[in-house]
Amino acid sequence: MPQLPEQRLPVELFLDLDRGGPVPLYYQVASRLERAIRDQTLPAGARLENEVALAARLGLSRPTIRRAIQDLVDQGLLVRRRGIGTQVVHGKVTRNVELTSLFEDLERSGQKPETSVLSIEQVVADEHVAEGLGVERGSPVLHISRLRSADGVPLAILDNVLPEAFVDLDRADLERHGLYQLLRARGVTMRVAKQRIGARAATTKEAGLLDLPRSAPVLTMSRTAFDNSGVAVEFGQHCYRPDRYSFEVTLVDR
Amino acid sequence: MPQLPEQRLPVELFLDLDRGGPVPLYYQVASRLERAIRDQTLPAGARLENEVALAARLGLSRPTIRRAIQDLVDQGLLVRRRGIGTQVVHGKVTRNVELTSLFEDLERSGQKPETSVLSIEQVVADEHVAEGLGVERGSPVLHISRLRSADGVPLAILDNVLPEAFVDLDRADLERHGLYQLLRARGVTMRVAKQRIGARAATTKEAGLLDLPRSAPVLTMSRTAFDNSGVAVEFGQHCYRPDRYSFEVTLVDR
DNA sequence: TAGTGGTCTAGACCACAGA
DNA sequence: CTGTGGTCTAGACCACTAT
């Protein structure tokens, strides 16, 4: 028994596990562990019970427990060392940036996102769009330009291009909902997004829209998102007011 | 048999698998699949053989194959749908940003990173540092400030704070190696990093060092990195020339 | 030596998509 | 209906760390 911080037995209050239900067991276990960590029930540095014992005590198989723990490791909440054990990472627990849209990020953090559609038109894909969206040059696509505000303050300019299947998207819908919400409503599920984050000076037009001085710095993000069939469904060029928005990323070694 | 792109049987050239060796089987399989995808041997949209068949053909168990495939899904190279199969994602394959340092990023991309140490001194942790590094306020820490260039062009200003254990780090070492290389040489392995990426105007001093106009935009990143025991080992505030550097991030829905 | 996570096997049943 | 991935089990052996 190493003299590390301390060994902890997470309480027997895993006993509301729903074995027959639709929610995977590993997910239920991971959720309860995550809650305990965010609660500080398991404080930073605390050692977890070992996998085999935990599995036995919960009446689950080791792979199931292992999967639950691994999910938390991938979220940057736990760290494992062979021969030592599993410990809670020090440092503030930050919620991971999932595959969400700005709209949902804002809603979740209690702000009121508002959208004004600057332009929406069907165009043909130029070189740049064709490459980003993975369609033929000259294909019909929908170009949307929006100004996103939160609590009345302009936050970002969102330029998006969508493939032919979505050219009938409606201006009114876009003013009321996030783009990802609308796509989900059409049965599209985002699976993968590849993003590039950078910075540059705002153009005069951008500065005006974002209520910034001329040539002020803006944070930029360009993204291509793919659905669960691996096809690109969205290509976007966004620019954000850097005093109001930044990106949080957690990297984990695998 | 759905009429999707096409079913593909990855060639029998998995037959150099080293079963007794130290390299995990799932890793060997994943590597070969990854190579096939980057080769375009498995082109965008191609369907993979199903898990069970692939496992049987390679003489491996299904969980092993599954793990290999899941690793590629997590890298954003593959997409899976229940009842359908596994397909290669469309769009350019980008190498993932691992838990690496700028120094290694540059080296890997064939550039010559150079470092000049602007200052290196032992100080006591103020409020900000104490929080970022997870140490007591007033603890002795090492503050390092470096200018990183590539191929002779200034690229970034790197401000880092390290805990007491590293106060003896040497200026000469820092000019020759990346910080992460030096830490690894001391037996420290980075496991988790939490980063925040933003933008702002350069200070006068930064603009001078980076050879930028006054108040030009810079890309900023602040990061806390944790080792495999979950303890913070590095807290950094970096700023980059945005015309020479940007961050690439791949998000995957789990 | 004892305890830990890392890997691997050989099955099983289920949920979902398509023809 | 068949075929696919998603989940789960109950073991096994190994590699690494500490004492």
Side-chain angles (χ1 to χ4, degrees):
Chain A
M1 201 186 321
Q3 60 196 12
L4 285 172
E6 75 235 40
Q7 183 161 333
R8 286 301 234 97
L9 308 188
V11 235
E12 215 80 17
L13 304 188
F14 279 91
L15 297 190
D16 51 336
L17 292 178
D18 175 17
R19 306 190 73 102
V23 183
L25 286 169
Y26 70 82
Y27 185 87
Q28 298 183 48
V29 174
S31 302
R32 283 158 181 76
L33 282 176
E34 181 177 350
R35 201 196 314 144
I37 294 171
R38 299 195 186 277
D39 276 351
Q40 310 259 351
T41 305
L42 282 172
R47 263 190 57 206
L48 230 64
E49 204 176 349
N50 77 68
E51 300 177 350
V52 216
L54 191 52
R57 216 152 56 78
L58 301 193
L60 297 174
S61 71
R62 187 182 166 201
T64 300
I65 293 296
R66 219 180 134 66
R67 164 89 197 250
I69 294 178
Q70 186 60 49
D71 281 4
L72 298 184
V73 171
D74 291 344
Q75 285 177 49
L77 295 179
L78 292 176
V79 173
R80 292 204 274 203
R81 283 182 293 170
R82 184 191 304 212
I84 304 285
T86 305
Q87 285 175 280
V88 179
V89 172
H90 291 73
K92 263 181 308 197
V93 281
T94 62
R95 197 162 287 281
N96 255 14
V97 196
E98 303 293 336
L99 194 60
T100 57
S101 65
L102 176 56
F103 191 91
E104 287 155 333
D105 282 346
L106 294 172
E107 274 192 333
R108 185 147 36 95
S109 67
Q111 301 180 66
K112 269 220 190 62
E114 300 134 37
T115 310
S116 97
V117 175
L118 303 174
S119 76
I120 174 170
E121 50 177 342
Q122 183 178 334
V123 295
V124 296
D126 62 14
E127 182 79 29
H128 182 231
V129 167
E131 184 178 348
L133 207 48
V135 298
E136 291 295 315
R137 189 142 59 123
S139 308
V141 293
L142 184 68
H143 183 175
I144 303 169
S145 188
R146 295 170 294 164
L147 177 66
R148 171 69 44 80
S149 309
D151 295 333
V153 183
L155 194 64
I157 299 169
L158 314 172
D159 259 71
N160 289 90
V161 180
L162 297 114
E164 191 167 7
F166 305 108
V167 290
D168 59 321
L169 268 177
D170 185 47
R171 178 185 209 108
D173 287 340
L174 285 164
E175 305 253 354
R176 247 192 311 272
H177 304 99
L179 178 56
Y180 279 23
Q181 291 178 332
L182 294 173
L183 294 181
R184 254 197 308 273
R186 292 174 167 232
V188 177
T189 30
M190 301 299 194
R191 271 300 165 69
V192 182
K194 301 186 178 182
Q195 309 188 159
R196 180 170 287 280
I197 302 170
R200 58 172 168 78
T203 65
T204 308
K205 191 181 168 194
E206 289 167 345
L209 287 166
L210 292 176
D211 197 16
L212 289 171
R214 277 166 41 88
S215 300
V218 288
L219 184 61
T220 63
M221 188 263 278
S222 73
R223 167 177 63 194
T224 304
F226 304 84
D227 70 1
N228 59 4
S229 76
V231 174
V233 288
E234 182 241 337
F235 175 54
Q237 308 271 146
H238 300 179
C239 77
Y240 304 84
R241 268 186 64 159
D243 57 334
R244 304 269 302 171
Y245 195 74
S246 60
F247 293 94
E248 212 164 279
V249 182
T250 299
L251 298 177
V252 176
D253 191 31
R254 278 272 258 169
Chain B
M1 202 188 319
Q3 62 196 9
L4 286 172
E6 76 233 40
Q7 183 160 337
R8 285 301 234 98
L9 309 187
V11 237
E12 215 80 16
L13 304 188
F14 280 92
L15 297 190
D16 51 337
L17 293 178
D18 175 17
R19 305 190 74 104
V23 183
L25 287 170
Y26 70 83
Y27 185 86
Q28 298 182 49
V29 173
S31 301
R32 283 156 181 75
L33 282 175
E34 181 177 349
R35 200 196 314 144
I37 294 170
R38 299 195 186 278
D39 276 350
Q40 310 260 349
T41 305
L42 283 172
R47 264 192 56 207
L48 229 65
E49 204 176 348
N50 78 68
E51 300 178 352
V52 215
L54 190 52
R57 216 152 55 78
L58 301 192
L60 297 174
S61 72
R62 189 182 165 200
T64 300
I65 292 297
R66 221 180 133 68
R67 164 91 197 250
I69 293 177
Q70 186 59 49
D71 281 4
L72 298 184
V73 171
D74 291 343
Q75 287 178 48
L77 295 179
L78 292 176
V79 172
R80 292 204 272 204
R81 281 182 294 171
R82 185 191 309 215
I84 304 285
T86 305
Q87 287 175 281
V88 179
V89 171
H90 291 74
K92 262 181 307 195
V93 281
T94 62
R95 197 161 288 280
N96 256 13
V97 195
E98 304 293 337
L99 194 62
T100 58
S101 65
L102 176 57
F103 191 91
E104 286 155 332
D105 282 348
L106 294 171
E107 272 192 334
R108 187 149 32 99
S109 67
Q111 300 179 66
K112 268 219 193 62
E114 300 134 37
T115 310
S116 97
V117 175
L118 303 174
S119 76
I120 173 170
E121 50 177 342
Q122 182 178 334
V123 297
V124 295
D126 62 14
E127 183 79 28
H128 182 231
V129 166
E131 185 178 348
L133 207 48
V135 298
E136 292 295 316
R137 189 143 58 123
S139 308
V141 293
L142 183 68
H143 183 176
I144 304 170
S145 188
R146 295 169 295 165
L147 177 65
R148 172 70 43 82
S149 309
D151 295 333
V153 183
L155 194 62
I157 299 168
L158 315 172
D159 258 69
N160 289 90
V161 180
L162 297 112
E164 190 168 7
F166 305 107
V167 290
D168 59 321
L169 267 177
D170 185 47
R171 177 183 210 110
D173 287 339
L174 285 163
E175 304 252 352
R176 249 194 307 274
H177 305 100
L179 178 57
Y180 278 23
Q181 291 179 332
L182 294 173
L183 294 181
R184 254 198 308 275
R186 293 174 168 232
V188 177
T189 30
M190 302 299 194
R191 270 301 164 68
V192 182
K194 301 185 178 182
Q195 309 187 161
R196 179 170 286 282
I197 303 169
R200 58 173 168 76
T203 66
T204 308
K205 190 180 169 196
E206 289 167 345
L209 286 167
L210 292 176
D211 198 15
L212 290 172
R214 278 166 40 88
S215 299
V218 289
L219 184 61
T220 64
M221 188 264 278
S222 74
R223 167 177 64 194
T224 304
F226 303 85
D227 70 0
N228 58 5
S229 74
V231 173
V233 289
E234 181 242 335
F235 175 54
Q237 308 272 146
H238 299 177
C239 77
Y240 304 85
R241 269 185 63 159
D243 58 334
R244 305 267 304 170
Y245 195 73
S246 60
F247 292 94
E248 211 164 280
V249 181
T250 300
L251 298 178
V252 178
D253 191 32
R254 277 271 259 173

